[in-house]
Amino acid sequence: MIRKALIGFVAIVWFSAVQAQPAPQNSGADLIVFNAKIFTGNRAQPEATALAVKDGRIYSVGPDEAILALKNPSTKVIDAHSRRVVPGIVDAHIHVLNDLAFNYNVRWDGVPTLRQALTMLREQARRTPEGQWVKVIGGWSPYQFKENRFPTLDELHEAVPNHPAIVQYAYNQAFLNKQAMTALGVGTDRFPKLDGVEIEKDGRGNPTGVVHGYTWLFLALEAMVPQPSFDEQVSSLAYSVHGLNRFGVTSIIDNGGRWPYPDAQARVSVLARDNRLNVRMPFVDLQLGDGGPVNMVDLELEAITKTAPISPGQNLYPALAHGHEYRGAGEVLSGEVHDHENFDRPAVVIEPDTMRRFVEEDVKKLVERRIPFRMHISYNENISPFLDALEKVNETIPLGGLRWSLEHAETISPQNIARVKKLGGGIALDGKMALHADGFIKTYGREKALETPRLRMLVDSGIPLAMTTDAFRAATYNPWVGISWMVTGKSVSGSEALAKDNRLTRAEALRLFTIGGAWFMNAEAEIGAIAPGYLADFAVLDRDYFAVPEDQIKSVSSVLTVMNGKVVFGGQDYRNLSPELPAILPAWSPVKYFGSYYGEK
């Protein structure tokens, strides 16, 4: 009797406990995509036809029948119509927060002819209000045009007769009309006096309007033109992210610019507050100071320990995994050792002792405090003394576990690749050679260009490696232009720019823009692949990247981009799924009329 009573009591308690548990809510998938050709990026399951998403992560990947069995009445089901699906693109080096005037600029990215580019300027000049400029600030190359040349000053004057106008080519040169020359004080003491600046002059010694220089000149000029309001900066951020989503980009690392931490983050926080931050945006910080010589490392340490304390890896938008994390210092850590990357000129070679002293005195501070860092170095002549000194620092303060990287590293040697790997660093390459290889060839010769960078060797080395855009000024933000160059070996002009044995397969090239970039986010276990447990970031492409002719790769874009399990961009027959963008600011913005990339409107 006692035993039966005890069993009965236990059964009642168990039943009551079960009854007290809340019923599972919304079991099954939140989102299913089926009838797809999925490149997963997961070597254990490289292909599939369907995927399921739950709570912002990939829930299951497999055949249609198995995945469709996971739906419930509230599951959103999307038919991919046999389209190619790839992991979300990760751009591990881009400057979104440096272009908070994005909406002020005419974008020549992807424009096929100079004639069309000048027509855009002419149309924009008619709608630009008095007091504002007509601007093209980077993202294009003369070699992309059918005419294969720069605009002439006469063409610029004819297109924009009544406003100041500037057309900037990367960080190499700018074309100014007469109103712009007057406003900037070209030929007077008001014009920035910086190393490397050259002002072209006519036969009578008068400035023509063509100005050559390096990065600092063009940052200074940008500060001298009308600036967007705070609300216009927020709108610019929203529309630049929309442009990225259009190409399947779901994660970026912002690599510093004019607005340092914590100022720039105020703009991001507005989008985050309104649940409109449609891209994961970790950032590294660049502290330029207020002009004149400064110690950028000391300013960085001041900003993150006293001004607005923050720790490496800390997420300022915790509602989104890797939403707006601080990922350390860079990419410029000292103006004194910045070697730029103007391929129209010979390499900027830093005095080796200056580079070594900088590492031993300033980079050492970051290593001591375990602050990740990213160092802009384009040329091998500067990489060698940097690594000399870093190896010396490593002897007393081990780098082990600290994520650091070289940015660009176009001409890095085999020996220095091995040294970076031994020190545990990564390399973030960029696709500038896709746009500017023809200029590089004029300066250094085709033979040098064919091995710049050493793509095959870098991939085979096993070093943490990403391909990036370095947009919006130095190159276009369209990652497919860089992917095309890696696969075909051709620049935007059609010129051979990579040797056949220095090119990558389509899968290898895509991995450098997906799982490769995830390492720099410290997120390679959850970003860069379509696999169970990974964050639900992926893109449905407008054409099959793995099957289209090579000359179509640069034209690939997304028709459906999903980030964190939600649709952030929809085009073609998925347009009705795309989130509505707020009204663009200002109302006369070139982006409103032309879009952020050629062909968008």
Side-chain angles (χ1 to χ4, degrees):
M1 287 292 294
I2 295 174
R3 185 170 180 270
K4 287 183 178 180
L6 181 60
I7 291 172
F9 175 75
V10 171
I12 291 169
V13 171
W14 176 83
F15 180 77
S16 299
V18 170
Q19 290 291 95
Q21 295 295 319
Q25 297 295 313
N26 194 26
S27 59
D30 299 332
L31 170 68
I32 287 174
V33 176
F34 75 104
N35 190 20
K37 299 174 183 175
I38 302 176
F39 171 80
T40 67
N42 175 12
R43 297 182 192 278
Q45 186 187 21
E47 296 279 345
T49 61
L51 62 86
V53 173
K54 179 73 173 177
D55 296 330
R57 290 185 181 265
I58 301 295
Y59 177 34
S60 188
V61 181
D64 287 355
E65 182 179 1
I67 300 303
L68 286 169
L70 302 174
K71 70 178 180 179
N72 65 25
S74 62
T75 302
K76 180 183 289 186
V77 179
I78 296 176
D79 186 344
H81 300 293
S82 296
R83 290 186 174 96
R84 176 64 64 181
V85 176
V86 299
I89 299 293
V90 180
D91 191 340
H93 184 128
I94 191 171
H95 296 274
V96 171
L97 295 179
N98 193 43
D99 275 81
L100 293 175
F102 182 85
N103 287 356
Y104 275 33
N105 298 328
V106 177
R107 301 300 311 178
W108 278 0
D109 304 60
V111 177
T113 69
L114 179 58
R115 180 180 178 181
Q116 178 63 34
L118 291 168
T119 297
M120 293 168 70
L121 283 190
R122 194 174 296 111
E123 292 178 7
Q124 185 57 36
R126 289 196 289 266
R127 69 174 64 98
T128 299
E130 186 176 352
Q132 293 288 348
W133 288 49
V134 177
K135 300 191 302 174
V136 180
I137 306 294
W140 63 282
S141 163
Y143 310 111
Q144 78 192 40
F145 297 138
K146 180 181 178 181
E147 297 87 343
N148 198 30
R149 66 173 177 85
F150 290 109
T152 67
L153 291 169
D154 286 342
E155 288 170 331
L156 180 59
H157 292 145
E158 188 276 329
V160 190
N162 299 317
H163 294 279
I166 178 172
V167 173
Q168 180 179 318
Y169 169 53
Y171 284 111
N172 297 19
Q173 61 180 302
F175 302 83
L176 309 170
N177 70 358
K178 290 172 182 158
Q179 292 91 333
M181 291 170 64
T182 300
L184 296 173
V186 177
T188 74
D189 290 341
R190 289 193 295 112
F191 196 76
K193 295 178 177 60
L194 297 165
D195 290 342
V197 173
E198 295 179 7
I199 300 173
E200 285 191 6
K201 295 182 180 180
D202 61 21
R204 291 176 292 181
N206 297 317
T208 63
V210 179
V211 180
H212 302 264
Y214 293 114
T215 313
W216 309 132
L217 169 66
F218 300 105
L219 291 180
L221 295 183
E222 185 65 16
M224 297 171 70
V225 304
Q227 300 297 302
S229 68
F230 183 89
D231 288 343
E232 289 170 342
Q233 291 175 11
V234 173
S235 182
S236 288
L237 181 58
Y239 276 84
S240 61
V241 168
H242 171 74
L244 292 167
N245 292 155
R246 181 173 176 264
F247 289 113
V249 177
T250 55
S251 295
I252 64 172
I253 298 180
D254 190 86
N255 250 54
R258 291 174 56 208
W259 282 273
Y261 173 79
D263 293 345
Q265 281 57 45
R267 285 78 176 165
V268 181
S269 69
V270 174
L271 295 188
R273 179 198 66 197
D274 297 339
N275 196 31
R276 290 192 287 114
L277 184 58
N278 290 337
V279 68
R280 304 182 198 276
M281 192 189 294
F283 67 98
V284 295
D285 187 43
L286 163 61
Q287 295 281 337
L288 288 170
D290 297 324
V294 294
N295 187 304
M296 294 182 181
V297 170
D298 286 347
L299 289 178
E300 179 68 15
L301 294 175
E302 177 81 12
I304 65 173
T305 61
K306 296 180 181 178
T307 305
I310 189 171
S311 302
Q314 184 175 335
N315 191 353
L316 296 175
Y317 181 32
L320 176 65
H322 307 289
H324 200 44
E325 293 173 333
Y326 174 61
R327 295 250 55 100
E331 66 175 301
V332 181
L333 297 173
S334 169
E336 189 180 17
V337 299
H338 189 58
D339 67 356
H340 308 279
E341 71 283 354
N342 184 335
F343 297 153
D344 294 335
R345 291 178 166 186
V348 175
V349 178
I350 308 301
E351 206 283 320
D353 286 342
T354 301
M355 179 67 80
R356 294 188 189 101
R357 184 174 63 253
F358 153 71
V359 175
E360 293 170 7
E361 294 179 0
D362 292 318
V363 175
K364 179 180 178 181
K365 299 172 187 174
L366 299 172
V367 177
E368 288 174 331
R369 292 162 177 80
R370 312 310 291 171
I371 308 283
F373 62 91
R374 302 178 72 165
M375 180 67 185
H376 174 125
I377 308 187
S378 293
Y379 302 108
N380 194 65
E381 295 90 333
N382 302 321
I383 294 172
S384 292
F386 178 86
L387 294 177
D388 290 343
L390 197 61
E391 287 168 342
K392 185 175 180 180
V393 170
N394 184 58
E395 291 174 1
T396 55
I397 313 170
L399 289 164
L402 182 66
R403 297 216 172 186
W404 66 275
S405 60
L406 299 182
E407 308 296 294
H408 312 310
E410 278 91 353
T411 63
I412 189 169
S413 68
Q415 295 80 7
N416 281 337
I417 293 171
R419 295 171 75 191
V420 172
K421 183 176 182 180
K422 187 175 181 180
L423 288 169
I427 294 178
L429 303 169
D430 65 71
K432 284 197 291 290
M433 286 289 283
L435 270 76
H436 310 312
D438 297 74
F440 187 99
I441 290 168
K442 291 175 184 176
T443 305
Y444 300 101
R446 185 175 299 276
E447 184 176 350
K448 182 69 173 177
L450 294 177
E451 62 175 21
T452 302
R454 300 174 188 273
L455 278 180
R456 171 50 54 199
M457 181 178 294
L458 283 160
V459 168
D460 291 347
S461 75
I463 199 169
L465 185 69
M467 182 57 68
T468 76
T469 65
D470 196 18
F472 286 90
R473 301 180 180 207
T476 179
Y477 66 92
N478 179 355
W480 298 98
V481 172
I483 290 172
S484 174
W485 159 71
M486 287 188 281
V487 172
T488 68
K490 294 180 180 179
S491 73
V492 291
S493 72
S495 299
E496 185 182 19
L498 283 174
K500 289 184 178 179
D501 61 359
N502 196 26
R503 301 171 193 173
L504 304 183
T505 68
R506 298 191 193 204
E508 288 172 327
L510 184 58
R511 285 193 178 99
L512 291 190
F513 260 118
T514 51
I515 194 70
W519 183 88
F520 295 80
M521 296 174 65
N522 200 14
E524 62 269 35
E526 55 183 351
I527 285 178
I530 298 174
Y534 275 64
L535 292 164
D537 300 352
F538 55 88
V540 181
L541 303 181
D542 69 342
R543 65 200 75 191
D544 189 348
Y545 163 64
F546 288 98
V548 296
E550 285 188 346
D551 62 0
Q552 288 190 31
I553 293 175
K554 63 178 178 294
S555 301
V556 170
S557 63
S558 175
V559 294
L560 184 76
T561 303
V562 173
M563 190 277 299
N564 207 49
K566 73 171 185 176
V567 175
V568 293
F569 173 81
Q572 297 184 16
D573 44 338
Y574 303 107
R575 189 176 301 276
N576 65 322
L577 299 178
S578 194
E580 186 175 352
L581 287 166
I584 194 167
L585 297 175
W588 54 267
S589 168
V591 177
K592 178 179 179 180
Y593 298 93
F594 302 126
S596 58
Y597 198 92
Y598 180 76
E600 182 180 344
K601 296 202 174 186

